[in-house]
Amino acid sequence: MDRSAEFRKWKAQCLSKADLSRKGSVDEDVVELVQFLNMRDQFFTTSSCAGRILLLDRGINGFEVQKQNCCWLLVTHKLCVKDDVIVALKKANGDATLKFEPFVLHVQCRQLQDAQILAVRSTHGLEVPLSHKGKLMVTEEYIDFLLNVANQKMEENKKRIERFYNCLQHALERETMTNLHPKIKEKNNSSYIHKKKRNPEKTRAQCITKESDEELENDDDDDLGINVTIFPEDY
Amino acid sequence: MDRSAEFRKWKAQCLSKADLSRKGSVDEDVVELVQFLNMRDQFFTTSSCAGRILLLDRGINGFEVQKQNCCWLLVTHKLCVKDDVIVALKKANGDATLKFEPFVLHVQCRQLQDAQILAVRSTHGLEVPLSHKGKLMVTEEYIDFLLNVANQKMEENKKRIERFYNCLQHALERETMTNLHPKIKEKNNSSYIHKKKRNPEKTRAQCITKESDEELENDDDDDLGINVTIFPEDY
């Protein structure tokens, strides 16, 4: 089986599997983007999160980062109100932490070149310890303030998803145009389009995250969470 | 100039430049690791941070993530005491946030295969808004608690640097052995060692982060912050 056929088979297998996330479905805010990628031969997505606010409770050894000891008291992909957090905190008996996690997307790519358009990871988050051994360490006023910050980040995050989706559509359109009319290549100095060489090689698939895309921000505090896995067809 | 020579030249140029970080030097806890990588032909490092606790003050639009509006009230690569934070917070007139940022390392690699051993990125952090428009939103008791958490993370982070450095040494020794005695290759089923094909190609350098190294953790809450850039010699 050639590498393209192998990638197609792998894609079909992955996309036919049940969604194993706790939620069991793709988040509303990224459904369109995920479908857009999965419609294309050179990509498929393996997981995604549109961004979320969550409240975790960790066992007595609050610092231990094992997920096993970690209970989810609350999770939302929408804006969050104080009362929901206050109610959820009543169930905490360890160290509760409020987190904001931005958009994240895992994409499998058939070729290294296809990963050039997919960019950057995020540090645009929040991680705030709120209680220790069941005792609340902050005031309700602080929780209110914190949720304001978290909700603003959620809204900013939504804008970034849209911006990323627009950039992605634009880049793939340009790519299609270039394939249809190879002479455009000479006029276009995009580094993406110049990366068109192929070297089939029988290495194993590897996980690779692309940073520094010219069209997307690449600031520590201003980027998206995208992981790209390259299928070993082309390097 | 062949690709190896070009990489050597690029490496020499980069390493001869002044250290442009605020601190102006490599952090003590990663000096040995950084030297270990830079001694090897196939790597060089472009930036690193051993991990740090920092207190930032952001302008009136506290949410805006532009670094320009951001003032560093305090930064330490060591454990941090409450009084230092209390004193530093007095200078805050915007929205002050305490952050813990784990170990991060940027490595340029001559070949894609060399990136296989360098792994994973971290979400093992803290980002805690403490004041709003100059007004402290938490108690001193909370700051004390928070610094306990931050200091524990700092110590755990130090262990991870050591673990990573050990794994790296081990992997590179194995790699050297394999090059000296190619027959070992057949007996060794490491995916790293099996990725030994070469395909020189005239693409531009790209930034790639490797995840899922078998020898290092790859849990959302339990990994290291390493960015790997591949030099275009080998894919």
Side-chain angles (χ1 to χ4, degrees):
Chain A
M1 187 160 26
D2 71 19
R3 309 300 290 167
S4 277
E6 204 176 318
F7 183 81
R8 269 200 305 278
K9 191 182 160 194
W10 183 31
K11 176 175 178 171
Q13 274 173 351
C14 286
L15 293 184
S16 67
K17 278 183 197 154
D19 186 323
L20 294 177
S21 64
R22 296 196 192 210
K23 189 160 158 272
S25 62
V26 174
D27 297 338
E28 195 183 314
D29 286 339
V30 291
V31 164
E32 205 181 325
L33 168 57
V34 163
Q35 285 174 344
F36 176 80
L37 283 167
N38 287 330
M39 263 166 38
R40 299 189 164 250
D41 288 344
Q42 70 268 45
F43 300 116
F44 68 95
T45 62
T46 52
S47 73
S48 60
C49 175
R52 61 189 181 185
I53 295 168
L54 64 165
L55 186 66
L56 305 171
D57 192 27
R58 289 187 179 118
I60 298 304
N61 270 320
F63 172 62
E64 285 186 17
V65 284
Q66 273 85 28
K67 278 185 173 170
Q68 298 90 307
N69 287 329
C70 187
C71 163
W72 292 28
L73 299 175
L74 179 121
V75 59
T76 176
H77 297 81
K78 306 280 174 196
L79 302 188
C80 188
V81 294
K82 188 184 73 177
D83 288 349
D84 291 346
V85 173
I86 300 289
V87 169
L89 274 169
K90 293 201 195 327
K91 288 176 270 172
N93 50 32
D95 288 17
T97 299
L98 187 119
K99 290 181 85 168
F100 167 73
E101 294 177 344
F103 171 47
V104 67
L105 181 67
H106 293 88
V107 184
Q108 311 278 345
C109 300
R110 194 176 52 188
Q111 301 163 4
L112 188 59
Q113 69 182 56
D114 297 323
Q116 308 317 315
I117 49 161
L118 296 176
V120 292
R121 65 193 177 77
S122 184
T123 54
H124 175 242
L126 273 182
E127 181 159 354
V128 183
L130 292 182
S131 72
H132 181 48
K133 296 182 184 173
K135 184 195 164 204
L136 192 62
M137 303 297 290
V138 295
T139 61
E140 283 202 22
E141 189 194 358
Y142 178 75
I143 294 174
D144 203 32
F145 159 64
L146 183 63
L147 287 176
N148 254 322
V149 177
N151 286 336
Q152 279 178 304
K153 286 188 186 245
M154 188 68 102
E155 285 181 340
E156 174 65 20
N157 176 67
K158 205 169 168 174
K159 284 184 204 154
R160 290 178 188 195
I161 293 175
E162 282 163 24
R163 213 156 63 207
F164 172 74
Y165 185 29
N166 286 338
C167 286
L168 182 68
Q169 286 175 305
H170 184 73
L172 292 181
E173 266 166 38
R174 205 174 49 192
E175 150 85 345
T176 308
M177 285 299 287
T178 311
N179 286 346
L180 290 174
H181 308 286
K183 283 196 177 169
I184 294 173
K185 206 185 277 189
E186 288 155 31
K187 294 181 192 162
N188 193 320
N189 62 3
S190 150
S191 69
Y192 171 60
I193 286 172
H194 281 203
K195 288 168 196 150
K196 300 292 294 175
K197 301 285 171 68
R198 294 190 179 196
N199 280 308
E201 191 178 331
K202 286 174 187 167
T203 53
R204 300 295 307 151
Q206 298 147 42
C207 294
I208 293 169
T209 303
K210 169 69 171 61
E211 289 197 331
S212 309
D213 190 293
E214 299 88 337
E215 293 184 31
L216 296 164
E217 288 94 351
N218 189 31
D219 185 275
D220 272 355
D221 287 320
D222 194 20
D223 46 21
L224 286 158
I226 314 219
N227 287 309
V228 180
T229 302
I230 311 297
F231 189 72
E233 179 182 359
D234 262 22
Y235 60 91
Chain B
M1 187 161 26
D2 70 19
R3 310 300 289 166
S4 279
E6 203 176 318
F7 184 80
R8 269 199 305 279
K9 192 181 159 195
W10 182 32
K11 176 174 178 171
Q13 275 173 352
C14 286
L15 294 184
S16 67
K17 279 184 197 153
D19 187 322
L20 294 177
S21 64
R22 296 195 193 212
K23 188 161 158 272
S25 63
V26 174
D27 297 338
E28 196 183 314
D29 286 339
V30 292
V31 164
E32 205 180 324
L33 168 58
V34 163
Q35 284 174 346
F36 176 79
L37 283 168
N38 287 330
M39 264 165 39
R40 300 187 163 251
D41 288 343
Q42 70 269 44
F43 300 116
F44 68 95
T45 63
T46 52
S47 74
S48 61
C49 175
R52 62 189 180 186
I53 295 169
L54 64 164
L55 187 65
L56 305 171
D57 192 26
R58 289 187 179 118
I60 298 303
N61 270 319
F63 172 62
E64 285 186 17
V65 285
Q66 274 84 27
K67 277 184 173 169
Q68 298 89 306
N69 288 328
C70 185
C71 163
W72 292 29
L73 299 175
L74 179 118
V75 59
T76 177
H77 296 81
K78 307 279 175 197
L79 301 189
C80 187
V81 294
K82 187 183 73 176
D83 287 350
D84 291 346
V85 173
I86 300 289
V87 168
L89 274 170
K90 293 201 195 328
K91 289 175 271 172
N93 51 32
D95 288 17
T97 298
L98 187 119
K99 289 181 86 169
F100 167 73
E101 294 177 343
F103 171 47
V104 68
L105 181 66
H106 293 88
V107 184
Q108 310 279 343
C109 301
R110 194 177 52 188
Q111 301 163 4
L112 187 59
Q113 70 182 56
D114 297 323
Q116 309 316 314
I117 49 161
L118 297 175
V120 292
R121 63 192 178 78
S122 184
T123 54
H124 176 242
L126 272 181
E127 181 159 353
V128 183
L130 291 181
S131 73
H132 182 49
K133 297 181 183 174
K135 185 196 164 203
L136 191 63
M137 302 299 289
V138 295
T139 60
E140 284 202 20
E141 188 194 0
Y142 178 76
I143 293 174
D144 203 33
F145 159 65
L146 183 63
L147 287 176
N148 254 322
V149 177
N151 286 337
Q152 279 178 305
K153 284 185 187 247
M154 188 68 101
E155 286 182 338
E156 173 65 21
N157 175 67
K158 206 170 167 172
K159 285 184 204 154
R160 290 178 189 195
I161 293 174
E162 284 164 22
R163 213 156 63 207
F164 172 73
Y165 186 29
N166 286 338
C167 286
L168 182 69
Q169 286 174 305
H170 184 73
L172 292 181
E173 267 167 35
R174 204 175 48 193
E175 150 85 343
T176 308
M177 286 298 288
T178 311
N179 285 345
L180 291 173
H181 308 285
K183 282 196 177 167
I184 294 173
K185 205 185 275 189
E186 288 155 29
K187 293 179 191 161
N188 194 320
N189 62 3
S190 149
S191 70
Y192 171 60
I193 285 172
H194 281 200
K195 290 167 196 151
K196 299 292 294 176
K197 301 284 172 70
R198 294 190 178 193
N199 280 308
E201 191 179 331
K202 287 176 188 166
T203 53
R204 299 297 306 153
Q206 299 148 42
C207 294
I208 293 170
T209 303
K210 168 69 170 61
E211 290 199 329
S212 310
D213 190 291
E214 298 88 338
E215 292 182 32
L216 296 163
E217 288 95 351
N218 188 31
D219 186 273
D220 271 354
D221 287 319
D222 194 21
D223 47 20
L224 288 156
I226 316 227
N227 288 309
V228 181
T229 302
I230 312 297
F231 189 73
E233 180 184 357
D234 262 24
Y235 60 88

